[in-house]
Amino acid sequence: MRAAERERLILDEAIKFFAEHGFGGQTRELAKRMGITHSAIYRHFPSKEALIERVYEEIYLSRWSPSWAGLIQDRKQPLQARLSQFYLEYVQQVFEYNWVRIFVFSGMKSFDITKRYLQIVREQIIEPACCELRHDLKLPTRDKVPLSEREVEMFWGLHGRIFYMAIRRFVYETPTPDQLDDIVRDAVRVFLDGARGLMPELVKPR
């Protein structure tokens, strides 16, 4: 087997292994499971941390679409349509066994994968969406009135509402609907109906 093929095989198996056992799983056990020597892993990945970093790149960064940040700020479409499209695409990318379980295990074991990923979500989706809702409601811009914690948490609530279905499906292993499109659209619609009434109270010049 060529070196690149062996490295790809190790990475694919590591993703499955960490999804089942978390990052506390030992690379020695991963090697045993694959039927290779422990040292064979370290010929391709110099440390466990390096292997975990590749898992992060493969599972998280490769599935993040560069178009999403622009979508949220595309005012040619209504905000409800933009948010619905984003979350429909997001669900297609992240509602997957390995993605969800590694994400949860990372947070529990204090690895920074979860923190780094959520920072991307905040910077490219949550905060821009706050600004777009302000624009829709003709409220002061961010440079005049900084985003408040309550605004940001309100949008995190929408994000969490949708992602919780993945937690139920892949962590708790409880039934969830097979078709999520209408549920995602409903979540966005209900969120915006409430947020439009609350936002003027949250955005007040100091």
Side-chain angles (χ1 to χ4, degrees), residues 96-115:
E96 189 265 335
Y97 179 90
N98 294 332
W99 196 105
V100 174
R101 291 181 64 88
I102 289 175
F103 186 81
V104 172
F105 277 129
S106 172
M108 291 172 61
K109 287 293 184 181
S110 299
F111 284 88
D112 69 348
I113 285 178
T114 302
K115 185 182 298 184

Side-chain angles (χ1 to χ4, degrees), residues 179-194:
Q179 299 299 321
L180 297 176
D181 288 9
D182 287 341
I183 294 170
V184 168
R185 293 188 183 97
D186 291 346
V188 171
R189 179 180 175 183
V190 169
F191 167 78
L192 287 175
D193 285 348

Side-chain angles (χ1 to χ4, degrees), residues 11-75:
L11 178 60
D12 289 343
E13 287 299 321
I15 289 170
K16 297 174 187 176
F17 180 75
F18 289 138
E20 294 172 13
H21 302 284
F23 289 131
Q26 299 298 310
T27 52
R28 191 174 301 279
E29 288 300 314
L30 171 61
K32 181 178 179 181
R33 169 168 158 161
M34 294 183 64
I36 62 176
T37 64
H38 191 216
S39 61
I41 292 178
Y42 290 101
R43 281 199 292 272
H44 297 277
F45 301 95
S47 65
K48 182 178 179 181
E49 289 72 24
L51 178 57
I52 289 173
E53 183 64 24
R54 281 292 304 279
V55 168
Y56 172 68
E57 293 171 1
E58 180 73 16
I59 290 288
Y60 298 99
L61 297 186
S62 69
R63 297 190 188 188
W64 184 267
S65 173
S67 68
W68 286 339
L71 169 63
I72 294 299
Q73 299 177 74
D74 179 9
R75 292 176 180 170

Side-chain angles (χ1 to χ4, degrees), residues 71-131:
L71 169 63
I72 294 299
Q73 299 177 74
D74 179 9
R75 292 176 180 170
K76 293 191 295 292
Q77 301 183 65
L79 181 56
Q80 182 172 326
R82 287 177 263 163
L83 288 173
S84 295
Q85 182 179 337
F86 164 68
Y87 280 110
L88 288 169
E89 293 179 12
Y90 188 74
V91 163
Q92 289 296 317
Q93 289 295 320
V94 310
F95 274 46
E96 189 265 335
Y97 179 90
N98 294 332
W99 196 105
V100 174
R101 291 181 64 88
I102 289 175
F103 186 81
V104 172
F105 277 129
S106 172
M108 291 172 61
K109 287 293 184 181
S110 299
F111 284 88
D112 69 348
I113 285 178
T114 302
K115 185 182 298 184
R116 287 158 62 188
Y117 185 81
L118 289 178
Q119 188 63 28
I120 294 173
V121 175
R122 179 179 181 124
E123 291 175 356
Q124 297 193 25
I125 305 299
I126 301 296
E127 292 184 356
C130 289
C131 295

